[in-house]
Each structure stands twice: as C-alpha cells, then as structure tokens.
Amino acid sequence: MKKILLTALLSSAVTYLALTGAPMPETVKLDNARVRVKEVLYAPGVARERYIRPTDQVIVFLDDSQYERIDSTTKERTVRTRKSGDIIWHDKGEDAPVLKNLGAKPYRTLVIELK
C-alpha cells in the first residue's frame, strides 16, 4: 500500500511540475570569477520557465533534442531540432522563452555563462 501511495504522490508531483513550468534540474560544473558552467536536464514534456538572460551565454547541446519554443510576445510556437554538439549563443538581457522537450527521453545542455 505504501508503494502505491508513494507512486501516486510522485506521479502527481511530476504532472504538477510539467504543467506549471518548474525550473529545470541543473548541476554547476564550474564556477569562478570569469565563467559559470551548468549542466541542465530537460525532462520529456516538462516546460522550462521564461526568464531574462543574466549574462552572455554559450549553450552546448550534449544530446540530440527536439523542443517547442513559445515566443513570449507573440505566443507563436515553433519546433526546433538540435544535434549533439550543436552550439548556440545568447546575449545578456535577451528573453529566454518557455521551452518544452518534445522528445520521449531527457536531453542535456551545458550553459556557459560569461561573467
């Protein structure tokens, strides 16, 4: 009975997080005076919350991914596909819109924040 209750609670928590756009799990890999490097995990179906980028950022995709990007202003939805090893740049102060992993498994990125 305890296993069933625990499973139900965990399932409810995951569903809640997926619907509310909870922060993505991240692990700081390096943090010094010049740079901070985080590994971010994007779970299937879970939305990343919108935020304003606090620094210039280089993002390295560690896994193949397909995600939906929801424009913060127009609400336009676009699907983007990235391959492992793809690298993108974002400027400090840029809008980081809601992203949702459309894949069946998690994907990871390295977010390199320049200080």
Side-chain angles (χ1 to χ4, degrees):
M1 183 65 171
K2 287 183 182 180
K3 282 186 177 181
I4 294 172
L5 181 58
L6 181 60
T7 301
L9 287 173
L10 288 174
S11 175
S12 297
V14 169
T15 301
Y16 173 78
L17 292 175
L19 294 175
T20 60
M24 299 287 106
E26 57 185 48
T27 304
V28 175
K29 299 292 189 176
L30 174 68
D31 193 0
N32 63 33
R34 298 174 65 188
V35 67
R36 178 159 70 166
V37 179
K38 300 181 296 188
E39 183 178 308
V40 181
L41 179 71
Y42 293 81
V46 177
R48 180 197 72 187
E49 294 180 19
R50 176 186 176 266
Y51 71 98
I52 302 299
R53 297 184 195 282
T55 64
D56 288 337
Q57 297 177 344
V58 176
I59 300 176
V60 180
F61 289 81
L62 300 177
D63 303 303
D64 291 349
S65 62
Q66 185 174 51
Y67 57 90
E68 179 181 61
R69 177 190 184 278
I70 304 170
D71 187 275
S72 301
T73 305
T74 66
K75 306 302 181 210
E76 178 184 0
R77 295 171 183 263
T78 55
V79 175
R80 301 228 168 127
T81 301
R82 305 285 184 188
K83 295 291 183 189
S84 175
D86 283 355
I87 300 171
I88 58 176
W89 170 267
H90 290 290
D91 292 317
K92 176 181 180 178
E94 219 179 88
D95 181 66
V98 173
L99 300 181
K100 183 176 167 185
N101 179 358
L102 298 177
K105 59 185 179 178
Y107 72 87
R108 300 166 300 139
T109 64
L110 283 182
V111 178
I112 303 163
E113 299 178 343
L114 306 176
K115 296 182 179 181

